[in-house]
Short mmCIF file of all heavy atoms in Angstrom, two decimals:
data_model
loop_
_atom_site.label_atom_id
_atom_site.label_comp_id
_atom_site.label_asym_id
_atom_site.label_seq_id
_atom_site.Cartn_x
_atom_site.Cartn_y
_atom_site.Cartn_z
N ASN A 1 -74.13 86.02 -82.88
CA ASN A 1 -74.03 84.77 -82.12
C ASN A 1 -73.51 85.02 -80.70
O ASN A 1 -74.03 84.43 -79.74
CB ASN A 1 -73.12 83.76 -82.84
CG ASN A 1 -73.77 83.17 -84.07
OD1 ASN A 1 -74.99 83.15 -84.19
ND2 ASN A 1 -72.96 82.70 -84.99
N PHE A 2 -72.49 85.86 -80.57
CA PHE A 2 -71.96 86.17 -79.24
C PHE A 2 -73.01 86.87 -78.37
O PHE A 2 -73.17 86.56 -77.19
CB PHE A 2 -70.70 87.02 -79.32
CG PHE A 2 -69.46 86.26 -79.70
CD1 PHE A 2 -68.63 86.73 -80.71
CD2 PHE A 2 -69.10 85.09 -79.05
CE1 PHE A 2 -67.48 86.04 -81.06
CE2 PHE A 2 -67.96 84.39 -79.39
CZ PHE A 2 -67.14 84.87 -80.41
N ILE A 3 -73.73 87.80 -78.97
CA ILE A 3 -74.76 88.52 -78.21
C ILE A 3 -75.83 87.54 -77.73
O ILE A 3 -76.21 87.56 -76.55
CB ILE A 3 -75.38 89.66 -79.05
CG1 ILE A 3 -74.34 90.77 -79.26
CG2 ILE A 3 -76.63 90.22 -78.37
CD1 ILE A 3 -74.77 91.86 -80.21
N GLU A 4 -76.29 86.68 -78.61
CA GLU A 4 -77.30 85.69 -78.21
C GLU A 4 -76.76 84.75 -77.14
O GLU A 4 -77.44 84.46 -76.15
CB GLU A 4 -77.76 84.89 -79.43
CG GLU A 4 -78.60 85.67 -80.39
CD GLU A 4 -78.93 84.90 -81.67
OE1 GLU A 4 -78.45 83.75 -81.83
OE2 GLU A 4 -79.66 85.45 -82.50
N GLN A 5 -75.54 84.29 -77.32
CA GLN A 5 -74.94 83.34 -76.39
C GLN A 5 -74.77 83.93 -74.99
O GLN A 5 -75.17 83.32 -74.00
CB GLN A 5 -73.56 82.91 -76.94
CG GLN A 5 -72.80 81.98 -76.05
CD GLN A 5 -71.41 81.67 -76.62
OE1 GLN A 5 -71.05 82.10 -77.70
NE2 GLN A 5 -70.64 80.93 -75.87
N TYR A 6 -74.20 85.12 -74.92
CA TYR A 6 -73.92 85.70 -73.60
C TYR A 6 -75.16 86.26 -72.92
O TYR A 6 -75.30 86.17 -71.70
CB TYR A 6 -72.81 86.75 -73.70
CG TYR A 6 -71.45 86.13 -73.88
CD1 TYR A 6 -70.86 85.98 -75.13
CD2 TYR A 6 -70.74 85.66 -72.77
CE1 TYR A 6 -69.62 85.40 -75.29
CE2 TYR A 6 -69.49 85.08 -72.91
CZ TYR A 6 -68.93 84.95 -74.17
OH TYR A 6 -67.70 84.37 -74.32
N THR A 7 -76.07 86.85 -73.69
CA THR A 7 -77.28 87.37 -73.06
C THR A 7 -78.18 86.24 -72.57
O THR A 7 -78.89 86.40 -71.58
CB THR A 7 -78.06 88.31 -73.99
OG1 THR A 7 -78.36 87.64 -75.21
CG2 THR A 7 -77.28 89.59 -74.27
N SER A 8 -78.14 85.10 -73.25
CA SER A 8 -78.93 83.96 -72.78
C SER A 8 -78.40 83.43 -71.44
O SER A 8 -79.13 82.77 -70.70
CB SER A 8 -78.95 82.84 -73.81
OG SER A 8 -77.69 82.23 -73.93
N ARG A 9 -77.15 83.73 -71.14
CA ARG A 9 -76.55 83.35 -69.85
C ARG A 9 -76.82 84.38 -68.77
O ARG A 9 -76.35 84.26 -67.64
CB ARG A 9 -75.05 83.19 -69.98
CG ARG A 9 -74.61 82.07 -70.88
CD ARG A 9 -73.11 82.00 -70.88
NE ARG A 9 -72.61 81.13 -71.93
CZ ARG A 9 -71.34 81.05 -72.28
NH1 ARG A 9 -70.43 81.79 -71.67
NH2 ARG A 9 -70.96 80.23 -73.23
N GLY A 10 -77.52 85.44 -69.12
CA GLY A 10 -77.85 86.48 -68.14
C GLY A 10 -76.87 87.63 -68.11
O GLY A 10 -76.99 88.53 -67.28
N LEU A 11 -75.90 87.65 -69.03
CA LEU A 11 -74.96 88.77 -69.08
C LEU A 11 -75.58 89.93 -69.84
O LEU A 11 -76.44 89.75 -70.70
CB LEU A 11 -73.65 88.34 -69.74
CG LEU A 11 -72.86 87.26 -69.01
CD1 LEU A 11 -71.66 86.83 -69.83
CD2 LEU A 11 -72.41 87.74 -67.65
N ILE A 12 -75.13 91.11 -69.52
CA ILE A 12 -75.66 92.33 -70.13
C ILE A 12 -74.61 92.91 -71.06
O ILE A 12 -73.44 93.04 -70.68
CB ILE A 12 -76.01 93.36 -69.04
CG1 ILE A 12 -77.07 92.78 -68.11
CG2 ILE A 12 -76.47 94.67 -69.65
CD1 ILE A 12 -77.22 93.55 -66.82
N LEU A 13 -75.01 93.26 -72.27
CA LEU A 13 -74.10 93.89 -73.22
C LEU A 13 -73.83 95.32 -72.76
O LEU A 13 -74.74 96.15 -72.70
CB LEU A 13 -74.70 93.88 -74.63
CG LEU A 13 -73.85 94.54 -75.72
CD1 LEU A 13 -72.52 93.82 -75.89
CD2 LEU A 13 -74.63 94.56 -77.03
N LYS A 14 -72.59 95.60 -72.41
CA LYS A 14 -72.22 96.93 -71.92
C LYS A 14 -71.59 97.79 -73.00
O LYS A 14 -71.68 99.00 -72.95
CB LYS A 14 -71.22 96.81 -70.75
CG LYS A 14 -71.79 96.23 -69.50
CD LYS A 14 -72.69 97.21 -68.82
CE LYS A 14 -73.10 96.70 -67.47
NZ LYS A 14 -73.85 97.66 -66.71
N GLU A 15 -70.88 97.15 -73.95
CA GLU A 15 -70.19 97.92 -74.98
C GLU A 15 -70.16 97.12 -76.28
O GLU A 15 -69.92 95.92 -76.28
CB GLU A 15 -68.76 98.22 -74.51
CG GLU A 15 -68.00 99.15 -75.40
CD GLU A 15 -66.64 99.53 -74.83
OE1 GLU A 15 -66.34 99.21 -73.67
OE2 GLU A 15 -65.87 100.14 -75.58
N ASP A 16 -70.37 97.82 -77.38
CA ASP A 16 -70.31 97.23 -78.71
C ASP A 16 -69.43 98.16 -79.54
O ASP A 16 -69.89 99.18 -80.03
CB ASP A 16 -71.73 97.13 -79.28
CG ASP A 16 -71.78 96.42 -80.62
OD1 ASP A 16 -70.71 96.12 -81.19
OD2 ASP A 16 -72.89 96.16 -81.10
N ALA A 17 -68.14 97.81 -79.63
CA ALA A 17 -67.17 98.72 -80.24
C ALA A 17 -66.72 98.23 -81.61
O ALA A 17 -66.45 97.05 -81.81
CB ALA A 17 -65.96 98.86 -79.33
N ILE A 18 -66.64 99.18 -82.54
CA ILE A 18 -66.07 98.91 -83.85
C ILE A 18 -64.98 99.97 -84.05
O ILE A 18 -65.26 101.14 -84.29
CB ILE A 18 -67.13 99.01 -84.96
CG1 ILE A 18 -68.24 97.99 -84.72
CG2 ILE A 18 -66.47 98.81 -86.32
CD1 ILE A 18 -69.39 98.08 -85.70
N LEU A 19 -63.74 99.51 -83.93
CA LEU A 19 -62.59 100.38 -84.10
C LEU A 19 -61.91 100.07 -85.42
O LEU A 19 -62.29 99.13 -86.13
CB LEU A 19 -61.61 100.16 -82.93
CG LEU A 19 -62.22 100.27 -81.53
CD1 LEU A 19 -61.18 99.94 -80.48
CD2 LEU A 19 -62.80 101.65 -81.30
N ILE A 20 -60.90 100.82 -85.76
CA ILE A 20 -60.19 100.61 -87.03
C ILE A 20 -59.58 99.22 -87.08
O ILE A 20 -59.66 98.52 -88.09
CB ILE A 20 -59.11 101.69 -87.23
CG1 ILE A 20 -59.78 103.05 -87.41
CG2 ILE A 20 -58.22 101.36 -88.42
CD1 ILE A 20 -58.82 104.21 -87.43
N ASP A 21 -58.96 98.80 -85.99
CA ASP A 21 -58.24 97.53 -85.99
C ASP A 21 -58.87 96.44 -85.13
O ASP A 21 -58.28 95.39 -84.93
CB ASP A 21 -56.80 97.76 -85.52
CG ASP A 21 -56.73 98.37 -84.13
OD1 ASP A 21 -57.75 98.89 -83.66
OD2 ASP A 21 -55.66 98.32 -83.51
N GLU A 22 -60.07 96.70 -84.62
CA GLU A 22 -60.66 95.73 -83.70
C GLU A 22 -62.17 95.93 -83.59
O GLU A 22 -62.66 97.05 -83.60
CB GLU A 22 -60.01 95.91 -82.32
CG GLU A 22 -60.50 95.00 -81.24
CD GLU A 22 -59.81 95.26 -79.89
OE1 GLU A 22 -59.37 96.40 -79.63
OE2 GLU A 22 -59.75 94.31 -79.11
N LYS A 23 -62.89 94.83 -83.48
CA LYS A 23 -64.32 94.84 -83.19
C LYS A 23 -64.51 93.98 -81.96
O LYS A 23 -64.00 92.85 -81.91
CB LYS A 23 -65.13 94.23 -84.34
CG LYS A 23 -65.07 95.00 -85.64
CD LYS A 23 -65.89 94.28 -86.69
CE LYS A 23 -65.76 94.93 -88.04
NZ LYS A 23 -66.52 94.19 -89.06
N TYR A 24 -65.23 94.49 -80.97
CA TYR A 24 -65.41 93.69 -79.76
C TYR A 24 -66.69 94.04 -79.04
O TYR A 24 -67.28 95.11 -79.24
CB TYR A 24 -64.21 93.82 -78.82
CG TYR A 24 -64.01 95.21 -78.23
CD1 TYR A 24 -64.63 95.58 -77.04
CD2 TYR A 24 -63.18 96.12 -78.85
CE1 TYR A 24 -64.44 96.83 -76.49
CE2 TYR A 24 -62.98 97.38 -78.31
CZ TYR A 24 -63.61 97.73 -77.13
OH TYR A 24 -63.43 98.98 -76.59
N LEU A 25 -67.10 93.12 -78.19
CA LEU A 25 -68.26 93.28 -77.33
C LEU A 25 -67.78 93.12 -75.89
O LEU A 25 -66.89 92.33 -75.62
CB LEU A 25 -69.30 92.19 -77.62
CG LEU A 25 -69.80 92.10 -79.06
CD1 LEU A 25 -70.56 90.80 -79.26
CD2 LEU A 25 -70.65 93.29 -79.41
#
């Protein structure tokens, strides 16, 4: 949902991180 939402606004996904204690874009 976040990827669809932000890319539809023209933003570019720069990082897709999955860490032990955190997941973030």
Side-chain angles (χ1 to χ4, degrees):
N1 288 337
F2 283 131
I3 291 172
E4 289 174 357
Q5 178 184 356
Y6 285 97
T7 56
S8 69
R9 295 182 192 169
L11 296 175
I12 300 165
L13 179 62
K14 292 287 188 174
E15 188 174 351
D16 185 352
I18 300 175
L19 308 176
I20 294 172
D21 59 343
E22 180 181 28
K23 296 179 185 178
Y24 65 89
L25 304 167

